[in-house]
């Protein structure tokens, strides 16, 4: 009997919680753009070196990863996906206010405000580096 080994292939993706999907869907209706999607991206900057960004967009761009959850589309460009792969986007409503929160397994340090982060490969990371910053978080 010949046994084949199966190679496990990890698919690049981000996850959207039910709460985040519902919040985006409601936002799209409020803005009167129900067919738009949520662009999630990573840009240089922020007190930890990289920061998250989000915007509403009409359609995906060439080469975008398009993830759909409960009718909500999420667009991620290939460069941002390198930093966001396997991240979970949630919406948290607290006494201090509501907002989107990204749980990113690729971030080794993050800023107190939750919008800035550093990865092991983004340079300047040391095991003893703290996650504090002056962003008021």
């Amino acid at each position: 009997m010949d046994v084949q080994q199966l190679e496990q292939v990890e698919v690049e993706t981000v996850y959207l919680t039910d709460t985040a999907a519902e919040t985006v869907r409601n936002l799209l209706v409020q803005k009167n753009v129900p067919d738009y999607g949520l662009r999630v991206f990573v840009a240089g900057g922020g007190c930890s070196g990289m920061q998250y960004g989000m915007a509403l967009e009409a359609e995906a761009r060439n080469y975008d990863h398009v993830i759909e959850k409960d009718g909500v589309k999420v667009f991620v460009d290939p460069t941002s996906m390198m930093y966001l792969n396997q991240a979970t986007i949630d919406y948290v409503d607290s006494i201090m206010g509501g907002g989107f929160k990204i749980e990113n397994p690729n971030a080794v340090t993050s800023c107190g405000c939750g919008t800035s982060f550093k990865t092991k490969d983004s340079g300047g990371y040391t095991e003893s580096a703290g996650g504090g910053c002056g962003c008021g978080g």
Side-chain angles (χ1 to χ4, degrees), residues 78-92:
T79 301
S80 294
M81 184 59 84
M82 290 188 319
Y83 299 105
L84 291 170
N85 188 30
Q86 304 300 311
T88 300
I89 302 166
D90 195 7
Y91 186 84
V92 180

Side-chain angles (χ1 to χ4, degrees), residues 77-125:
D77 66 87
T79 301
S80 294
M81 184 59 84
M82 290 188 319
Y83 299 105
L84 291 170
N85 188 30
Q86 304 300 311
T88 300
I89 302 166
D90 195 7
Y91 186 84
V92 180
D93 199 4
S94 72
I95 196 164
M96 298 297 287
F100 287 97
K101 180 178 179 170
I102 298 178
E103 292 290 331
N104 188 347
N106 305 297
V108 292
T109 62
S110 61
C111 189
C113 58
T115 61
S116 182
F117 70 102
K118 185 175 290 190
T119 65
K120 197 168 205 160
D121 298 329
S122 63
Y125 171 72

Side-chain angles (χ1 to χ4, degrees), residues 5-125:
Q5 282 192 329
L6 297 176
E7 183 179 330
Q8 186 173 355
V9 178
E10 182 180 299
V11 176
E12 289 184 318
T13 193
V14 295
Y15 301 99
L16 197 64
T17 66
D18 293 340
T19 304
E22 181 180 346
T23 302
V24 172
R25 194 171 26 261
N26 291 340
L27 184 61
L28 295 174
V29 169
Q30 288 173 4
K31 299 283 186 187
N32 201 25
V33 289
D35 295 331
Y36 275 43
L38 178 68
R39 174 161 301 280
V40 181
F41 59 92
V42 171
C47 46
S48 291
M50 306 187 89
Q51 59 188 355
Y52 301 113
M54 295 183 184
L56 300 178
E57 287 195 2
E59 58 189 28
R61 299 176 191 162
N62 287 340
Y63 307 110
D64 274 350
H65 294 263
V66 179
I67 297 98
E68 194 161 334
K69 162 90 172 170
D70 297 334
V72 173
K73 294 174 284 202
V74 178
F75 310 135
V76 184
D77 66 87
T79 301
S80 294
M81 184 59 84
M82 290 188 319
Y83 299 105
L84 291 170
N85 188 30
Q86 304 300 311
T88 300
I89 302 166
D90 195 7
Y91 186 84
V92 180
D93 199 4
S94 72
I95 196 164
M96 298 297 287
F100 287 97
K101 180 178 179 170
I102 298 178
E103 292 290 331
N104 188 347
N106 305 297
V108 292
T109 62
S110 61
C111 189
C113 58
T115 61
S116 182
F117 70 102
K118 185 175 290 190
T119 65
K120 197 168 205 160
D121 298 329
S122 63
Y125 171 72

